[in-house]
Amino acid sequence: MIKIENVNFTYADGTQALFTVSCEFHSDHLFAVLGESGSGKTTLLNCLGRFLHPQEGTIKLDGEDISTMSEKAFRQKLGVVFQKLHLFPHLNILQNMLLAPKVVQGRHETELKKEATAMLERLGIADLAESYPTQVSGGQAQRAAIARGLMLQPEYLLLDEPTSALDARTSAEFAQWLKELHEETHFIVVTHDLPFAQLIAQKGIYMENGRIVHEGDIETITKTAAKYSV
Ligand code: ADP
Ligand code: MG
């Protein structure tokens, strides 16, 4: 479980992006972090991923304060797939997948190659192993980035706007795929895409101006959010 308590975050230019944010993400659910653009979703994700450090408040991962965890222990528990994916353009998909486990976990390439190949097969993108990021479609790159994220076998994987490069049909396929993976990995999905959130998540939060204004069942949240946007 991830427990966020009274988190405040202000950027260096003085913009406060999170105002006393508190919530819990339970491991038995796929969570959605919803809200319009600029509401603080990515800031929250970056605080959870330790890329930003809140000035106040605490974030606990299975009871441990993330600010005091070692880098290795933390990265093995929690992974992040950024909106821009950050696939290395000079490496093919397979090489992209091998890099972090080699560097972070010091594992051997032969064994990793077997695992990566099996993972790509399972995800239905085995034929992409030798392709470079610029040679694949948006949906394929999204899957490849998640496949790479899963190589460290994190307990939690955070995804920022995973449908931003996908059309409606690919989003629906992707939703199905995420649900299957959710058996093994807990996902927290940051999205402004309400229909997509309805397809994947049971629980979530809705943010506005750096505050959580709704939390609970996704059905209730999306109904309330839809009322706002009319
Ligand atoms: P969302 O992901 O929901 O679109 P963000 O977390 O990116 O929202 O942004 C929340 C607020 O913080 C916005 O007002 C945004 O302009 C501001 N913000 C985001 N990044 C920075 C930054 N690097 N420096 C200053 N302000 C920022
Ligand atoms: Mg964002």
Side-chain angles (χ1 to χ4, degrees):
M1 185 180 85
I2 299 179
K3 189 167 184 175
I4 302 171
E5 277 181 305
N6 300 320
V7 164
N8 280 311
F9 182 83
T10 304
Y11 284 101
D13 69 355
T15 307
Q16 185 164 358
L18 298 176
F19 295 83
T20 333
V21 167
S22 297
C23 66
E24 289 179 5
F25 299 111
H26 291 269
S27 308
D28 54 344
H29 291 288
L30 206 160
F31 271 92
V33 176
L34 295 160
E36 303 268 306
S37 177
S39 57
K41 306 182 298 298
T42 296
T43 306
L44 183 63
L45 174 131
N46 280 325
C47 289
L48 287 174
R50 286 211 324 197
F51 300 107
L52 294 176
H53 305 286
Q55 285 83 5
E56 281 176 87
T58 51
I59 301 176
K60 285 184 183 155
L61 195 55
D62 299 329
E64 254 189 290
D65 188 332
I66 65 165
S67 66
T68 56
M69 287 172 78
S70 76
E71 183 64 10
K72 192 170 174 188
F74 181 71
R75 295 286 158 221
Q76 287 195 348
K77 274 207 147 192
L78 186 141
V80 178
V81 177
F82 295 99
Q83 185 170 4
K84 292 204 182 331
L85 305 181
H86 299 318
L87 287 166
F88 297 106
H90 61 293
L91 299 178
N92 69 29
I93 302 293
L94 189 72
Q95 291 162 338
N96 262 285
M97 292 173 72
L98 304 184
L99 194 64
K102 256 185 359 194
V103 175
V104 178
Q105 298 174 325
R107 297 181 54 204
H108 289 292
E109 178 147 347
T110 333
E111 182 194 326
L112 283 172
K113 259 192 184 158
K114 271 193 214 149
E115 270 178 39
T117 308
M119 170 92 69
L120 288 173
E121 263 166 34
R122 215 185 121 213
L123 304 184
I125 47 173
D127 50 332
L128 299 185
E130 310 284 319
S131 304
Y132 286 82
T134 50
Q135 299 172 316
V136 305
S137 73
Q140 290 170 329
Q142 185 61 254
R143 285 179 190 220
I146 291 174
R148 182 179 65 170
L150 290 171
M151 281 299 288
L152 290 174
Q153 300 176 330
E155 288 171 38
Y156 300 89
L157 194 60
L158 278 41
L159 312 179
D160 197 3
E161 301 285 2
T163 60
S164 56
L166 311 185
D167 58 34
R169 189 178 60 84
T170 321
S171 287
E173 275 173 25
F174 181 65
Q176 186 54 39
W177 187 78
L178 265 190
K179 277 202 249 180
E180 285 163 24
L181 289 177
H182 176 57
E183 310 275 306
E184 293 138 58
T185 309
H186 310 304
F187 290 100
I188 296 177
V189 181
V190 168
T191 183
H192 68 277
D193 182 346
L194 295 180
F196 176 69
Q198 279 173 315
L199 289 176
I200 52 157
Q202 301 94 13
K203 301 266 180 192
I205 56 174
Y206 188 85
M207 297 184 68
E208 246 175 34
N209 302 321
R211 294 177 173 85
I212 296 174
V213 291
H214 303 290
E215 70 180 293
D217 288 335
I218 211 77
E219 285 301 322
T220 321
I221 293 177
T222 48
K223 269 185 214 144
T224 327
K227 262 187 229 157
Y228 274 105
S229 55
V230 183

